[in-house]
Coordinates of all heavy atoms in Angstrom, one line a residue:
M15 N -29.5 -23.3 -5.3 CA -28.6 -22.2 -5.2 C -29.2 -21.2 -4.3 O -30.4 -20.9 -4.4 CB -28.3 -21.7 -6.6 CG -27.3 -20.6 -6.6 SD -25.5 -21.1 -6.6 CE -25.4 -22.0 -8.1
I16 N -28.4 -20.6 -3.4 CA -28.8 -19.5 -2.5 C -27.8 -18.4 -2.7 O -26.7 -18.5 -3.2 CB -28.9 -20.0 -1.1 CG1 -27.6 -20.5 -0.5 CG2 -30.0 -21.0 -0.9 CD1 -27.0 -19.6 0.5
A17 N -28.3 -17.2 -2.2 CA -27.4 -16.0 -2.3 C -27.5 -15.3 -0.9 O -28.7 -15.0 -0.4 CB -27.9 -15.1 -3.4
S18 N -26.4 -15.0 -0.4 CA -26.3 -14.2 0.9 C -26.0 -12.8 0.4 O -25.1 -12.5 -0.3 CB -25.1 -14.7 1.7 OG -24.9 -13.8 2.8
I19 N -26.9 -11.8 0.8 CA -26.8 -10.4 0.3 C -26.6 -9.5 1.5 O -27.3 -9.6 2.5 CB -28.1 -10.1 -0.5 CG1 -28.3 -11.0 -1.7 CG2 -28.0 -8.6 -1.0 CD1 -29.6 -10.8 -2.4
W20 N -25.6 -8.6 1.3 CA -25.3 -7.6 2.3 C -25.3 -6.2 1.6 O -24.9 -6.1 0.5 CB -23.9 -7.9 2.9 CG -23.8 -9.0 3.8 CD1 -23.8 -10.4 3.5 CD2 -23.7 -9.0 5.2 NE1 -23.7 -11.1 4.6 CE2 -23.7 -10.3 5.7 CE3 -23.7 -7.9 6.1 CZ2 -23.6 -10.6 7.0 CZ3 -23.6 -8.2 7.5 CH2 -23.6 -9.5 7.9
R21 N -25.6 -5.2 2.4 CA -25.6 -3.8 2.0 C -24.5 -3.1 2.8 O -24.5 -3.2 4.1 CB -26.9 -3.1 2.1 CG -26.9 -1.6 1.7 CD -28.2 -1.0 1.8 NE -28.6 -1.0 3.2 CZ -29.9 -1.3 3.6 NH1 -30.8 -1.6 2.8 NH2 -30.1 -1.3 4.9
F22 N -23.7 -2.3 2.2 CA -22.6 -1.5 2.8 C -22.7 -0.1 2.5 O -22.8 0.3 1.3 CB -21.3 -2.1 2.4 CG -21.0 -3.5 2.8 CD1 -21.4 -4.5 1.9 CD2 -20.4 -3.9 3.9 CE1 -21.2 -5.8 2.2 CE2 -20.2 -5.2 4.3 CZ -20.6 -6.2 3.4
H23 N -22.6 0.8 3.5 CA -22.4 2.2 3.3 C -20.9 2.4 3.5 O -20.4 2.2 4.6 CB -23.3 3.0 4.3 CG -24.7 2.9 4.1 ND1 -25.5 3.9 3.5 CD2 -25.6 1.9 4.3 CE1 -26.7 3.5 3.4 NE2 -26.9 2.3 3.9
V24 N -20.3 2.9 2.4 CA -18.8 3.0 2.4 C -18.4 4.4 2.5 O -18.9 5.3 1.9 CB -18.3 2.3 1.1 CG1 -16.8 2.4 1.0 CG2 -18.7 0.9 1.1
H25 N -17.3 4.7 3.3 CA -16.7 6.0 3.4 C -16.1 6.3 2.0 O -15.5 5.5 1.4 CB -15.6 6.0 4.4 CG -16.0 5.7 5.8 ND1 -16.9 6.4 6.5 CD2 -15.7 4.6 6.7 CE1 -17.1 5.9 7.7 NE2 -16.4 4.8 7.8
P26 N -16.4 7.6 1.5 CA -16.0 7.9 0.2 C -14.5 7.7 -0.1 O -14.1 7.3 -1.2 CB -16.4 9.4 0.1 CG -17.5 9.6 1.0 CD -17.2 8.6 2.2
E27 N -13.7 7.9 0.9 CA -12.3 7.7 0.8 C -11.8 6.3 0.8 O -10.7 5.9 0.5 CB -11.5 8.5 1.8 CG -11.6 8.0 3.3 CD -12.9 8.5 4.0 OE1 -13.7 9.1 3.4 OE2 -13.0 8.1 5.2
S28 N -12.7 5.4 1.0 CA -12.5 3.9 1.2 C -13.0 3.1 0.0 O -12.9 1.9 0.0 CB -13.0 3.4 2.5 OG -12.3 4.0 3.6
T29 N -13.6 3.8 -1.0 CA -14.2 3.0 -2.1 C -13.2 2.1 -2.8 O -13.6 0.9 -3.1 CB -14.9 3.9 -3.1 OG1 -14.0 4.8 -3.7 CG2 -16.1 4.6 -2.4
G30 N -12.0 2.5 -3.1 CA -11.0 1.7 -3.8 C -10.6 0.4 -2.9 O -10.8 -0.7 -3.5
P31 N -10.2 0.6 -1.7 CA -9.9 -0.6 -0.9 C -11.1 -1.5 -0.7 O -11.0 -2.7 -0.7 CB -9.4 0.0 0.4 CG -9.0 1.4 0.1 CD -9.8 1.8 -1.0
F32 N -12.3 -0.9 -0.5 CA -13.5 -1.7 -0.3 C -13.8 -2.5 -1.6 O -14.0 -3.7 -1.5 CB -14.7 -0.8 0.0 CG -16.0 -1.6 0.1 CD1 -16.4 -2.1 1.3 CD2 -16.8 -1.8 -1.0 CE1 -17.5 -2.9 1.4 CE2 -18.0 -2.5 -0.9 CZ -18.3 -3.1 0.3
E33 N -13.7 -1.9 -2.7 CA -14.0 -2.7 -4.0 C -12.9 -3.8 -4.2 O -13.3 -4.9 -4.6 CB -14.0 -1.7 -5.2 CG -15.2 -0.8 -5.2 CD -15.2 0.2 -6.3 OE1 -14.3 0.2 -7.2 OE2 -16.1 1.1 -6.4
R34 N -11.7 -3.6 -3.8 CA -10.7 -4.6 -4.0 C -11.0 -5.8 -3.0 O -10.8 -6.9 -3.3 CB -9.3 -4.0 -3.7 CG -8.8 -3.2 -4.9 CD -7.3 -2.8 -4.8 NE -7.1 -1.9 -3.7 CZ -7.3 -0.6 -3.8 NH1 -7.7 0.0 -4.9 NH2 -7.0 0.2 -2.8
A35 N -11.4 -5.4 -1.8 CA -11.6 -6.5 -0.8 C -12.9 -7.3 -1.0 O -12.9 -8.5 -0.8 CB -11.6 -5.9 0.6
Y36 N -13.9 -6.6 -1.5 CA -15.2 -7.2 -1.6 C -15.6 -7.6 -3.0 O -16.7 -8.2 -3.2 CB -16.3 -6.3 -1.0 CG -16.3 -6.2 0.5 CD1 -15.4 -5.3 1.1 CD2 -17.1 -6.9 1.3 CE1 -15.3 -5.2 2.5 CE2 -17.0 -6.8 2.6 CZ -16.2 -5.9 3.2 OH -16.1 -5.9 4.6
G37 N -14.8 -7.3 -4.0 CA -15.1 -7.7 -5.4 C -15.0 -9.2 -5.6 O -14.6 -10.0 -4.8
P38 N -15.3 -9.6 -6.9 CA -15.4 -11.0 -7.2 C -14.0 -11.7 -7.1 O -14.0 -13.0 -7.0 CB -15.9 -11.0 -8.6 CG -15.9 -9.7 -9.1 CD -15.7 -8.7 -8.0
N39 N -12.9 -11.0 -7.0 CA -11.6 -11.7 -6.9 C -10.9 -11.2 -5.6 O -9.7 -11.4 -5.5 CB -10.7 -11.4 -8.1 CG -11.4 -12.0 -9.4 OD1 -11.7 -13.1 -9.4 ND2 -11.5 -11.2 -10.4
G40 N -11.7 -10.5 -4.8 CA -11.1 -9.9 -3.6 C -10.8 -10.9 -2.4 O -11.0 -12.1 -2.6
E41 N -10.4 -10.3 -1.3 CA -10.0 -11.1 -0.2 C -11.2 -12.0 0.3 O -11.0 -13.1 0.8 CB -9.5 -10.2 1.0 CG -8.1 -9.7 0.7 CD -8.2 -8.3 0.1 OE1 -9.2 -7.9 -0.5 OE2 -7.2 -7.6 0.3
W42 N -12.4 -11.4 0.3 CA -13.6 -12.2 0.8 C -13.8 -13.3 -0.1 O -14.1 -14.5 0.3 CB -14.8 -11.3 0.9 CG -14.7 -10.4 2.1 CD1 -14.4 -9.1 2.2 CD2 -14.9 -10.8 3.5 NE1 -14.4 -8.6 3.5 CE2 -14.7 -9.6 4.3 CE3 -15.3 -12.0 4.1 CZ2 -14.9 -9.7 5.7 CZ3 -15.4 -12.0 5.5 CH2 -15.2 -10.9 6.3
A43 N -13.8 -13.1 -1.4 CA -14.1 -14.2 -2.4 C -13.0 -15.3 -2.2 O -13.3 -16.5 -2.3 CB -14.2 -13.6 -3.8
Q44 N -11.8 -14.8 -2.0 CA -10.7 -15.8 -1.9 C -10.9 -16.7 -0.6 O -10.6 -17.9 -0.6 CB -9.4 -15.1 -1.8 CG -8.9 -14.5 -3.1 CD -7.7 -13.6 -3.0 OE1 -6.8 -13.9 -2.2 NE2 -7.6 -12.6 -3.9
L45 N -11.4 -16.0 0.4 CA -11.7 -16.8 1.7 C -12.8 -17.8 1.4 O -12.7 -19.0 1.8 CB -12.0 -15.8 2.8 CG -12.5 -16.5 4.1 CD1 -11.3 -17.3 4.8 CD2 -13.0 -15.4 5.1
F46 N -13.9 -17.3 0.9 CA -15.0 -18.2 0.6 C -14.7 -19.3 -0.3 O -15.3 -20.4 -0.2 CB -16.2 -17.4 0.1 CG -16.8 -16.3 1.0 CD1 -17.4 -15.2 0.5 CD2 -16.7 -16.4 2.4 CE1 -18.0 -14.3 1.3 CE2 -17.2 -15.5 3.2 CZ -17.8 -14.4 2.7
A47 N -13.8 -19.1 -1.3 CA -13.4 -20.1 -2.2 C -12.8 -21.3 -1.6 O -12.7 -22.4 -2.2 CB -12.5 -19.5 -3.3
R48 N -12.3 -21.2 -0.4 CA -11.7 -22.3 0.3 C -12.8 -23.3 0.9 O -12.4 -24.4 1.3 CB -10.9 -21.8 1.5 CG -9.7 -21.0 1.0 CD -8.8 -20.4 2.1 NE -8.8 -21.1 3.3 CZ -8.7 -20.6 4.5 NH1 -8.6 -19.3 4.7 NH2 -8.7 -21.4 5.6
A49 N -14.0 -22.9 0.8 CA -15.1 -23.7 1.3 C -15.9 -24.4 0.2 O -16.0 -23.9 -0.9 CB -16.1 -22.8 2.1
A50 N -16.3 -25.6 0.5 CA -17.1 -26.4 -0.5 C -18.4 -25.6 -0.7 O -19.0 -25.1 0.2 CB -17.4 -27.8 0.0
G51 N -18.9 -25.6 -2.0 CA -20.2 -25.1 -2.3 C -20.3 -23.6 -2.6 O -21.3 -23.1 -3.0
Y52 N -19.1 -22.9 -2.5 CA -19.1 -21.5 -2.9 C -19.2 -21.4 -4.4 O -18.5 -22.1 -5.2 CB -17.8 -20.9 -2.4 CG -17.6 -19.5 -2.9 CD1 -18.4 -18.4 -2.4 CD2 -16.5 -19.2 -3.8 CE1 -18.2 -17.1 -2.8 CE2 -16.3 -17.9 -4.2 CZ -17.1 -16.8 -3.7 OH -16.9 -15.6 -4.2
A53 N -20.0 -20.5 -4.9 CA -20.3 -20.4 -6.3 C -20.0 -19.0 -6.9 O -20.3 -18.7 -8.0 CB -21.7 -20.8 -6.6
G54 N -19.4 -18.1 -6.1 CA -19.0 -16.8 -6.6 C -19.6 -15.6 -5.9 O -20.6 -15.8 -5.1
T55 N -19.0 -14.5 -6.2 CA -19.4 -13.2 -5.6 C -19.6 -12.2 -6.6 O -18.9 -12.1 -7.6 CB -18.3 -12.7 -4.6 OG1 -18.3 -13.6 -3.5 CG2 -18.6 -11.3 -4.1
E56 N -20.7 -11.3 -6.4 CA -20.9 -10.2 -7.3 C -20.8 -8.9 -6.4 O -21.3 -9.0 -5.2 CB -22.2 -10.2 -8.0 CG -22.3 -11.2 -9.1 CD -23.7 -11.1 -9.7 OE1 -24.0 -10.1 -10.4 OE2 -24.5 -12.1 -9.5
L57 N -20.3 -7.8 -6.9 CA -20.3 -6.5 -6.1 C -21.0 -5.5 -7.0 O -20.7 -5.3 -8.2 CB -18.9 -6.1 -5.9 CG -18.7 -4.8 -5.1 CD1 -19.3 -4.8 -3.7 CD2 -17.2 -4.4 -5.1
L58 N -22.0 -4.9 -6.4 CA -22.9 -3.9 -7.1 C -22.7 -2.6 -6.3 O -22.8 -2.5 -5.1 CB -24.3 -4.3 -7.1 CG -24.7 -5.7 -7.6 CD1 -26.1 -6.0 -7.4 CD2 -24.3 -5.8 -9.1
R59 N -22.6 -1.5 -7.1 CA -22.6 -0.1 -6.5 C -23.9 0.5 -6.9 O -24.2 0.6 -8.1 CB -21.4 0.7 -7.0 CG -21.4 2.1 -6.3 CD -20.2 2.9 -6.5 NE -20.3 4.2 -5.9 CZ -19.3 5.0 -5.8 NH1 -18.1 4.7 -6.2 NH2 -19.5 6.2 -5.2
L60 N -24.7 1.0 -5.9 CA -25.9 1.7 -6.2 C -25.6 3.1 -6.7 O -24.7 3.7 -6.2 CB -26.8 1.7 -4.9 CG -27.1 0.4 -4.3 CD1 -27.9 0.6 -3.0 CD2 -28.0 -0.5 -5.3
D61 N -26.4 3.5 -7.7 CA -26.3 4.9 -8.1 C -26.7 5.8 -7.0 O -27.6 5.6 -6.3 CB -27.2 5.1 -9.4 CG -26.7 4.4 -10.6 OD1 -25.5 4.1 -10.7 OD2 -27.6 4.1 -11.5
G62 N -26.0 6.9 -7.0 CA -26.3 8.0 -6.0 C -25.0 8.6 -5.5 O -23.9 8.2 -5.8
A63 N -25.2 9.7 -4.7 CA -24.0 10.5 -4.2 C -23.2 9.7 -3.2 O -22.0 9.7 -3.2 CB -24.5 11.8 -3.6
E64 N -24.0 9.0 -2.3 CA -23.3 8.3 -1.2 C -22.9 6.9 -1.7 O -23.7 6.2 -2.4 CB -24.2 8.1 0.0 CG -23.5 7.3 1.1 CD -24.5 7.1 2.3 OE1 -25.7 7.6 2.2 OE2 -24.1 6.4 3.2
P65 N -21.6 6.4 -1.5 CA -21.2 5.1 -2.0 C -21.9 4.0 -1.1 O -21.6 3.8 0.0 CB -19.7 5.1 -1.8 CG -19.3 6.2 -1.0 CD -20.5 7.2 -0.9
V66 N -22.9 3.3 -1.8 CA -23.6 2.2 -1.2 C -23.4 1.0 -2.1 O -23.6 1.2 -3.3 CB -25.1 2.5 -1.0 CG1 -25.8 1.3 -0.4 CG2 -25.3 3.7 0.0
Y67 N -23.1 -0.1 -1.5 CA -22.8 -1.3 -2.3 C -23.6 -2.5 -1.8 O -24.0 -2.5 -0.6 CB -21.3 -1.7 -2.1 CG -20.3 -0.8 -2.8 CD1 -19.9 0.4 -2.1 CD2 -19.8 -1.0 -4.0 CE1 -19.0 1.2 -2.7 CE2 -18.9 -0.2 -4.6 CZ -18.5 0.9 -3.9 OH -17.5 1.8 -4.5
L68 N -23.8 -3.4 -2.7 CA -24.4 -4.7 -2.3 C -23.4 -5.8 -2.7 O -22.8 -5.7 -3.8 CB -25.7 -5.0 -3.1 CG -26.9 -4.1 -2.8 CD1 -28.0 -4.5 -3.8 CD2 -27.3 -4.1 -1.4
T69 N -23.3 -6.8 -1.8 CA -22.5 -8.0 -2.2 C -23.5 -9.1 -2.3 O -24.4 -9.2 -1.5 CB -21.4 -8.3 -1.2 OG1 -22.0 -8.6 0.1 CG2 -20.3 -7.2 -1.1
I70 N -23.3 -10.0 -3.3 CA -24.1 -11.2 -3.5 C -23.1 -12.4 -3.5 O -22.4 -12.5 -4.5 CB -24.9 -11.1 -4.8 CG1 -25.8 -9.8 -4.7 CG2 -25.7 -12.4 -4.9 CD1 -26.5 -9.6 -6.1
D71 N -23.1 -13.2 -2.5 CA -22.3 -14.3 -2.4 C -23.2 -15.6 -2.6 O -24.2 -15.8 -1.9 CB -21.7 -14.5 -1.0 CG -20.8 -13.3 -0.7 OD1 -20.0 -12.9 -1.6 OD2 -20.9 -12.7 0.4
R72 N -22.9 -16.3 -3.7 CA -23.7 -17.5 -4.0 C -23.1 -18.8 -3.5 O -21.9 -19.0 -3.5 CB -23.8 -17.5 -5.6 CG -24.7 -16.5 -6.1 CD -25.0 -16.6 -7.6 NE -26.1 -15.9 -8.1 CZ -26.1 -14.5 -8.2 NH1 -25.0 -13.9 -8.0 NH2 -27.1 -13.9 -8.7
W73 N -24.0 -19.6 -3.1 CA -23.7 -20.9 -2.5 C -24.5 -22.0 -3.1 O -25.7 -21.7 -3.4 CB -23.8 -20.9 -1.0 CG -22.9 -19.9 -0.3 CD1 -23.1 -18.6 -0.1 CD2 -21.5 -20.2 0.1 NE1 -22.0 -18.0 0.5 CE2 -21.0 -19.0 0.6 CE3 -20.7 -21.3 0.1 CZ2 -19.8 -18.8 1.1 CZ3 -19.5 -21.2 0.7 CH2 -19.0 -19.9 1.2
H74 N -24.1 -23.2 -3.2 CA -24.9 -24.3 -3.8 C -26.1 -24.6 -2.9 O -27.1 -25.0 -3.4 CB -24.1 -25.5 -4.1 CG -23.1 -25.3 -5.3 ND1 -23.6 -25.2 -6.6 CD2 -21.8 -25.1 -5.3 CE1 -22.6 -25.0 -7.4 NE2 -21.5 -24.9 -6.7
S75 N -25.9 -24.4 -1.6 CA -27.0 -24.8 -0.7 C -26.9 -24.0 0.6 O -25.8 -23.5 1.0 CB -27.0 -26.3 -0.4 OG -25.9 -26.6 0.4
V76 N -27.9 -24.0 1.4 CA -27.8 -23.4 2.8 C -26.9 -24.2 3.6 O -26.1 -23.6 4.4 CB -29.3 -23.4 3.4 CG1 -29.2 -22.9 4.9 CG2 -30.2 -22.4 2.7
A77 N -26.8 -25.5 3.5 CA -25.9 -26.3 4.3 C -24.5 -25.9 3.9 O -23.6 -25.9 4.8 CB -26.2 -27.8 4.0
D78 N -24.1 -25.7 2.7 CA -22.8 -25.3 2.3 C -22.4 -24.0 2.9 O -21.3 -23.8 3.5 CB -22.7 -25.2 0.8 CG -22.6 -26.5 0.1 OD1 -22.2 -27.5 0.6 OD2 -23.0 -26.5 -1.1
H79 N -23.4 -23.0 2.9 CA -23.2 -21.7 3.5 C -22.9 -21.8 5.0 O -22.0 -21.2 5.6 CB -24.3 -20.8 3.2 CG -24.2 -19.4 3.7 ND1 -24.8 -19.0 4.9 CD2 -23.5 -18.3 3.3 CE1 -24.5 -17.8 5.1 NE2 -23.7 -17.3 4.2
Q80 N -23.7 -22.6 5.7 CA -23.6 -22.8 7.1 C -22.3 -23.5 7.5 O -21.6 -23.1 8.4 CB -24.8 -23.6 7.6 CG -26.0 -22.8 7.6 CD -27.3 -23.7 8.0 OE1 -27.3 -24.9 7.8 NE2 -28.3 -23.0 8.4
Q81 N -21.9 -24.5 6.7 CA -20.6 -25.2 6.9 C -19.4 -24.3 6.7 O -18.5 -24.3 7.5 CB -20.5 -26.4 6.0 CG -19.2 -27.3 6.3 CD -19.2 -27.9 7.6 OE1 -20.3 -28.2 8.2 NE2 -18.0 -28.1 8.2
A82 N -19.5 -23.4 5.7 CA -18.5 -22.4 5.5 C -18.3 -21.5 6.7 O -17.2 -21.1 7.1 CB -18.7 -21.6 4.2
E83 N -19.5 -21.0 7.2 CA -19.5 -20.1 8.4 C -18.7 -20.8 9.5 O -18.0 -20.2 10.2 CB -20.9 -19.7 8.8 CG -21.5 -18.7 7.9 CD -22.9 -18.4 8.3 OE1 -23.6 -19.2 9.0 OE2 -23.4 -17.3 8.0
F84 N -19.0 -22.1 9.7 CA -18.4 -22.8 10.8 C -16.9 -23.0 10.6 O -16.0 -22.7 11.4 CB -19.1 -24.2 11.0 CG -18.4 -25.1 12.0 CD1 -18.6 -24.8 13.3 CD2 -17.6 -26.1 11.6 CE1 -18.0 -25.7 14.3 CE2 -17.0 -26.9 12.5 CZ -17.2 -26.7 13.9
E85 N -16.5 -23.5 9.4 CA -15.1 -23.7 9.1 C -14.2 -22.5 9.0 O -13.1 -22.6 9.3 CB -15.0 -24.5 7.7 CG -15.5 -25.9 7.7 CD -15.5 -26.5 6.3 OE1 -15.1 -25.9 5.4 OE2 -16.0 -27.7 6.2
L86 N -14.8 -21.4 8.5 CA -14.0 -20.2 8.3 C -14.2 -19.1 9.4 O -13.8 -18.0 9.2 CB -14.4 -19.6 6.9 CG -14.2 -20.5 5.7 CD1 -14.8 -19.9 4.5 CD2 -12.7 -20.9 5.6
D87 N -14.8 -19.5 10.5 CA -15.1 -18.5 11.5 C -14.0 -17.6 12.0 O -14.1 -16.4 12.0 CB -15.7 -19.3 12.7 CG -16.1 -18.3 13.8 OD1 -17.0 -17.4 13.5 OD2 -15.6 -18.4 15.0
A88 N -12.8 -18.2 12.3 CA -11.7 -17.4 12.8 C -11.2 -16.4 11.7 O -10.9 -15.2 11.9 CB -10.6 -18.2 13.3
E89 N -11.0 -17.0 10.5 CA -10.5 -16.2 9.4 C -11.5 -15.1 9.0 O -11.1 -14.0 8.7 CB -10.2 -17.0 8.2 CG -9.0 -18.0 8.4 CD -9.5 -19.4 8.8 OE1 -10.6 -19.5 9.4 OE2 -8.8 -20.3 8.6
Y90 N -12.8 -15.4 9.0 CA -13.8 -14.5 8.7 C -13.8 -13.3 9.7 O -13.8 -12.1 9.3 CB -15.2 -15.2 8.8 CG -16.4 -14.3 8.4 CD1 -17.0 -14.5 7.2 CD2 -16.9 -13.3 9.2 CE1 -18.1 -13.7 6.8 CE2 -18.0 -12.5 8.8 CZ -18.5 -12.7 7.6 OH -19.6 -12.0 7.2
A91 N -13.7 -13.6 11.0 CA -13.6 -12.5 12.0 C -12.4 -11.7 11.8 O -12.5 -10.4 11.9 CB -13.6 -13.2 13.4
A92 N -11.2 -12.3 11.5 CA -10.0 -11.5 11.3 C -10.1 -10.5 10.1 O -9.8 -9.3 10.1 CB -8.8 -12.4 11.1
L93 N -10.7 -11.1 9.0 CA -10.9 -10.2 7.8 C -11.9 -9.2 8.0 O -11.7 -8.0 7.6 CB -11.2 -11.1 6.6 CG -11.3 -10.4 5.2 CD1 -10.0 -9.7 4.9 CD2 -11.6 -11.4 4.1
D94 N -13.0 -9.5 8.7 CA -14.0 -8.5 9.0 C -13.4 -7.3 9.8 O -13.7 -6.2 9.6 CB -15.1 -9.2 9.8 CG -16.4 -8.3 9.9 OD1 -16.8 -7.7 8.9 OD2 -16.9 -8.2 11.0
L95 N -12.5 -7.6 10.8 CA -11.9 -6.6 11.6 C -11.0 -5.7 10.7 O -11.0 -4.5 10.8 CB -11.0 -7.3 12.7 CG -10.4 -6.4 13.7 CD1 -11.5 -5.6 14.5 CD2 -9.6 -7.1 14.7
L96 N -10.3 -6.3 9.7 CA -9.4 -5.5 8.9 C -10.2 -4.6 7.9 O -9.7 -3.5 7.6 CB -8.6 -6.5 8.0 CG -7.4 -7.2 8.6 CD1 -6.8 -8.2 7.7 CD2 -6.4 -6.2 9.1
C97 N -11.4 -5.0 7.6 CA -12.2 -4.2 6.6 C -13.2 -3.3 7.3 O -13.9 -2.5 6.6 CB -13.0 -5.2 5.7 SG -11.9 -6.2 4.6
E98 N -13.4 -3.3 8.6 CA -14.5 -2.6 9.2 C -14.3 -1.1 9.1 O -15.3 -0.3 9.1 CB -14.6 -3.0 10.7 CG -13.5 -2.5 11.6 CD -13.8 -2.9 13.1 OE1 -14.7 -3.7 13.4 OE2 -13.0 -2.4 13.9
D99 N -13.1 -0.6 8.9 CA -12.9 0.9 8.8 C -13.4 1.4 7.4 O -13.5 2.6 7.2 CB -11.4 1.3 9.0 CG -11.0 1.2 10.4 OD1 -11.9 1.2 11.3 OD2 -9.8 1.0 10.7
Y100 N -13.6 0.6 6.4 CA -14.1 1.0 5.1 C -15.6 1.5 5.1 O -16.0 2.2 4.3 CB -14.0 -0.2 4.1 CG -12.7 -0.8 3.9 CD1 -12.5 -2.1 3.4 CD2 -11.5 0.0 4.1 CE1 -11.3 -2.6 3.2 CE2 -10.3 -0.6 3.9 CZ -10.1 -1.9 3.4 OH -8.9 -2.5 3.2
T101 N -16.3 1.0 6.1 CA -17.7 1.3 6.1 C -18.3 2.0 7.3 O -17.7 2.0 8.4 CB -18.5 -0.1 6.0 OG1 -18.3 -0.8 7.2 CG2 -18.1 -0.9 4.8
S102 N -19.4 2.7 7.2 CA -20.1 3.3 8.3 C -21.3 2.5 8.7 O -21.8 2.6 9.8 CB -20.6 4.7 7.9 OG -21.5 4.6 6.8
E103 N -21.7 1.5 7.8 CA -22.9 0.7 8.1 C -22.8 -0.5 7.2 O -22.5 -0.5 6.1 CB -24.2 1.4 7.9 CG -25.4 0.7 8.2 CD -26.7 1.5 7.8 OE1 -26.6 2.7 7.9 OE2 -27.6 0.9 7.4
E104 N -23.1 -1.7 7.8 CA -23.3 -2.9 7.0 C -24.5 -3.7 7.6 O -24.7 -3.8 8.7 CB -22.1 -3.8 7.0 CG -21.6 -4.4 8.3 CD -20.4 -5.2 8.2 OE1 -19.3 -4.7 8.0 OE2 -20.5 -6.5 8.2
T105 N -25.3 -4.1 6.6 CA -26.6 -4.8 7.0 C -26.7 -6.1 6.2 O -26.6 -6.1 4.9 CB -27.8 -3.9 6.6 OG1 -27.6 -2.6 7.3 CG2 -29.1 -4.5 7.1
C106 N -27.0 -7.2 6.8 CA -27.3 -8.4 6.2 C -28.8 -8.3 5.7 O -29.7 -8.1 6.5 CB -27.1 -9.6 7.1 SG -27.5 -11.2 6.3
L107 N -28.9 -8.5 4.4 CA -30.3 -8.5 3.8 C -30.9 -9.9 3.7 O -32.0 -10.0 3.1 CB -30.2 -7.8 2.4 CG -29.7 -6.3 2.5 CD1 -29.7 -5.7 1.1 CD2 -30.6 -5.5 3.4
G108 N -30.1 -10.9 4.2 CA -30.7 -12.2 4.3 C -30.1 -13.2 3.2 O -29.3 -12.9 2.4
I109 N -30.6 -14.4 3.4 CA -30.3 -15.5 2.5 C -31.5 -15.7 1.6 O -32.6 -15.8 2.1 CB -30.0 -16.8 3.3 CG1 -29.0 -16.6 4.4 CG2 -29.7 -18.0 2.4 CD1 -27.6 -16.3 3.8
H110 N -31.2 -15.7 0.3 CA -32.3 -15.7 -0.7 C -32.1 -16.9 -1.6 O -31.0 -17.3 -2.0 CB -32.3 -14.5 -1.6 CG -32.4 -13.2 -0.7 ND1 -33.6 -12.6 -0.5 CD2 -31.4 -12.5 -0.1 CE1 -33.4 -11.5 0.2 NE2 -32.1 -11.4 0.5
T111 N -33.2 -17.5 -2.0 CA -33.2 -18.6 -2.9 C -33.1 -18.0 -4.3 O -33.8 -17.1 -4.7 CB -34.4 -19.5 -2.9 OG1 -34.6 -20.0 -1.6 CG2 -34.4 -20.6 -3.9
V112 N -32.1 -18.5 -5.1 CA -31.9 -18.1 -6.5 C -32.9 -18.8 -7.4 O -33.0 -20.1 -7.3 CB -30.5 -18.4 -7.0 CG1 -30.3 -18.0 -8.4 CG2 -29.5 -17.6 -6.1
I113 N -33.7 -18.1 -8.1 CA -34.7 -18.7 -9.0 C -34.1 -18.8 -10.4 O -33.6 -17.8 -10.9 CB -35.9 -17.8 -9.1 CG1 -36.5 -17.5 -7.6 CG2 -37.0 -18.4 -9.9 CD1 -36.9 -18.7 -6.9
G114 N -34.2 -20.0 -11.0 CA -33.8 -20.1 -12.4 C -32.4 -20.7 -12.3 O -31.4 -20.7 -12.7

């Protein structure tokens, strides 16, 4: 099992729409669920004044994640464009192996 982790700095007025889009039942999770090997999404909000979030998307393998990127490329780009106004910064923190 692997996890793709992203950090987002969200505009304060966009926290509601961001949480709906990036949450475990949001548009991103619905898109990923169309691909083989997707195992779920978690959304975490870091404590602090500025709204900063982490998303953790789990996949059964690196190969599943890579295949999903290939298969969902056009839909991913379109959804990314729709959601870009929610954030001031987004950073990929990498692909991590899930232990246990």
Side-chain angles (χ1 to χ4, degrees):
M15 181 83 59
I16 58 110
S18 171
I19 302 175
W20 287 76
R21 181 181 59 225
F22 298 88
H23 292 258
V24 177
H25 300 297
E27 67 277 6
S28 298
T29 58
F32 178 86
E33 289 176 6
R34 285 188 293 278
Y36 288 83
N39 299 308
E41 290 95 335
W42 285 103
Q44 291 172 32
L45 175 64
F46 296 155
R48 295 178 30 215
Y52 172 69
T55 292
E56 290 182 70
L57 178 62
L58 307 171
R59 182 171 176 167
L60 300 177
D61 290 336
E64 181 184 356
V66 177
Y67 292 82
L68 296 176
T69 59
I70 303 170
D71 302 310
R72 287 187 166 72
W73 298 86
H74 290 287
S75 69
V76 171
D78 287 332
H79 181 259
Q80 291 172 336
Q81 184 63 30
E83 286 181 335
F84 175 75
E85 289 176 3
L86 303 173
D87 182 56
E89 294 94 337
Y90 186 104
L93 185 55
D94 193 45
L95 187 61
L96 287 173
C97 294
E98 72 179 9
D99 288 339
Y100 301 154
T101 63
S102 60
E103 179 184 330
E104 64 180 74
T105 305
C106 179
L107 300 179
I109 305 295
H110 304 264
T111 300
V112 176
I113 306 298

